[in-house]
Every structure is written in structure tokens, then in C-alpha cells.
Amino acid sequence: MTDSSLKFKEQVAIVTGASSGIGKACAIHLANLGAHVVVNYSSSQDEGQKTVDEITSNGGSAILVKADVSNEEEVKAMFNETISKYGKLDILVSNAGLQQDAPFLEMTLKQWQKVIDVNLTGQFLCCREAARIFVEQSKKPQENNHNELSIGKIVLMSSVHDVIPWAGHVNYAASKGGVMMFMKTISQELAPHKIRVNSVSPGAIKTPINKEVWSDPQKYDGLMDLIPYKRIGTPRDVAKAVAWLASDDSDYVNGETLYIDGGMTLYPEFADNG
Ligand code: NAD
């Protein structure tokens, strides 16, 4: 274990899209803090297995589960497998997402639909299953060992593009804008059940999704113009915020979006008086 505080000891977490990037970092960080982690992947079994191996070699507990988050049956099967293996669920990190970029005038319905299906409908399917399990668990007092604290925590992976428009990426920006209102609405609806729902909105984080930008020195310099803090984020920067939102330390935080962006949403172009 790399962290001795183990604030998630005996808690069970599902992290979707945990075979790479931010999801992988979240899975490893939660496991290092004591959680049993369900590492979800959709296509790359080898990469998913690497996440599991890293967790178990640190002394942590994890299983690998394949599911396409946009497929209702596969999502249900993933949650069923989690309950079969660990007997309960405490945390969902609904992270899986992708980009399929094109100028608006050229974007195909297939490109639009794919991104909405994974980034928005995938959140709906995973959050609904998690919430159903949390509500059922809350009816069994012996499993609700949190007393007055939340009985289930959901953290959605959004993006700064839930507030920053993004030409050439309308499917992605629309999906993340949708994630914000989805998160706020279910947060309002689920709070009386003592289920907390919040989002994390990363800025530019160094992962495979944006390799084309950070691997090109000229594009990297251009990116720095958008980041007052003058560095690209790391998956671990995001994982630490996710862990806080999933922990009892944030028990009175509900329906919020936490921007992890080095100030990207601070309108940096106005820093010199615009
Ligand atoms: P990534 O490409 O490394 O990870 C995305 C993960 O989602 C992969 O593991 C992929 O296999 C998985 N995935 C894709 N489609 C899936 C499906 N149908 N079912 C299950 N899993 C699926 O990129 P990342 O940067 O780590 O992205 C993770 C999340 O963070 C995404 O929601 C993305 O929109 C968001 N995000 C990333 C950045 C960034 O700068 N990297 C910024 C803002 C938001």
C-alpha cells in the first residue's frame, strides 16, 4: 500500500473506463486507500489487466469486468458481478468517455450518436444501476454502516467542456454539458436517499485521449496559453479530487462540479485586460 490512511477500507468501488488514463489512476488511488475496486474495461483486456495487476501487486484488491457502458445488458451484468463478488457497492466513479471529433458541417450522425451513447447514456445506465443498489442496501440496516453519512457516492467524469464551448467537438461538448444537468438533477432526486452525486471536470490531463496535443511541442505551447497554472494535469491530480468527493470528508457536498483544470475556466485570455 502506498497510503496508510485507508479511508475506503472495506468499501467497494466500480470505476468505468479504468484500463487507461484518468480511470486507471482513480482505480489505483481508491485501491491504495483500501477500497475493493471493480476495474471496468470495454475493449482492451490487456490494459485492464495491467490496472488490476498494479493494484494487487501493491497489496490491494481488484477484479476486471468487461462492459460497454452504453449497453444496458452489459452494464447490468457488471453491477451483478460486483455484488456477486463483493456483496455490496459503496462508490461509482463513472469515468468512461471518448471523443470522435469533426467539424459540425461534416459530423456524421454516427459520430454524434457514438459520443452521446458512451459519454451521456453510459452515465445514465451506470448511475441508475448504482442508485438502485444503494437504495436496496439502505433498506438493510446491517449493511448501512455509515450512520448519518451518505450510503452511496457517485462521481461523474465531466469536462471543462461542460461550460467551455468547443468548436469541432460539438458531440463531446454537448455530451458533457448534458452530464452536468444530468448530475445536478439526479443529485436533487437522490439526496433524500442519502446518496451523494457530484462531478469532476478536468481541463487538459495528459492521457491517451489528447496525446495528439501534448506529444507535439508546438501544440503543447499553444495549450499552455489556455492554462494559467502553466502545466498539463496528471491523471493523479484528478484521482485525488475524485477520492475526496467519494469520501466522507465531503459528506455535505452534493450536486457540485469540481474543476480540476489549472485555471482553464478562468478566461485566461482576459489576464492582460482582454
Ligand atoms: P482515455 O482514452 O485514456 O480513457 C477513456 C477510457 O474509457 C478508456 O479506458 C476506454 O477504454 C474507456 N471507454 C471508452 N468507451 C467505453 C465504453 N463504451 N465502455 C466502457 N469504457 C469505455 O482518456 P481519459 O482522458 O482518461 O478519459 C477519461 C474521462 O475523462 C473521459 O470521460 C473524458 O471525457 C474525461 N476527460 C478527460 C480529459 C483529458 O484531458 N484527458 C479532460 C476532460 C475530461
Side-chain angles (χ1 to χ4, degrees), residues 16-23 40-44 67-70 94-98 114 118-119 123 157-160 172 176 201-210:
T16 66
S19 54
S20 72
I22 294 171
N40 159 253
Y41 75 100
S42 61
S43 53
S44 176
D68 171 351
V69 296
S70 65
S94 195
N95 162 78
L98 47 72
K114 178 74 180 172
V118 175
N119 293 12
Q123 301 275 18
M157 199 55 62
S158 188
S159 161
V160 288
Y172 186 82
K176 296 299 187 180
S201 286
I205 309 298
K206 193 174 179 184
T207 73
I209 211 172
N210 49 14

Side-chain angles (χ1 to χ4, degrees), residues 5-6 24 28 46 54 56 70 73-74 86 91 116 122 137-138 148 155 165 168-169 179 206 214 228 232-233 258 267:
S5 59
L6 296 183
K24 178 174 184 171
I28 291 168
D46 288 351
E54 192 165 336
T56 51
S70 65
E73 293 316 310
E74 292 184 23
Y86 292 120
I91 297 163
I116 297 295
Q137 284 177 175
S138 71
E148 289 303 302
V155 183
H169 309 258
V179 165
K206 193 174 179 184
W214 53 257
I232 195 165
L258 188 51
Y267 297 97

Side-chain angles (χ1 to χ4, degrees), residues 62-82:
I63 56 167
L64 185 63
V65 178
K66 178 175 165 63
D68 171 351
V69 296
S70 65
N71 180 309
E72 186 172 20
E73 293 316 310
E74 292 184 23
V75 168
K76 284 185 172 179
M78 171 171 67
F79 281 80
N80 286 339
E81 199 172 332
T82 302

Side-chain angles (χ1 to χ4, degrees), residues 1-7 28-34 58 236 240:
M1 296 282 175
T2 56
D3 189 308
S4 58
S5 59
L6 296 183
K7 61 175 57 171
I28 291 168
H29 192 53
L30 293 178
N32 283 344
L33 292 171
N58 275 348
R236 196 169 149 77
K240 286 188 279 187

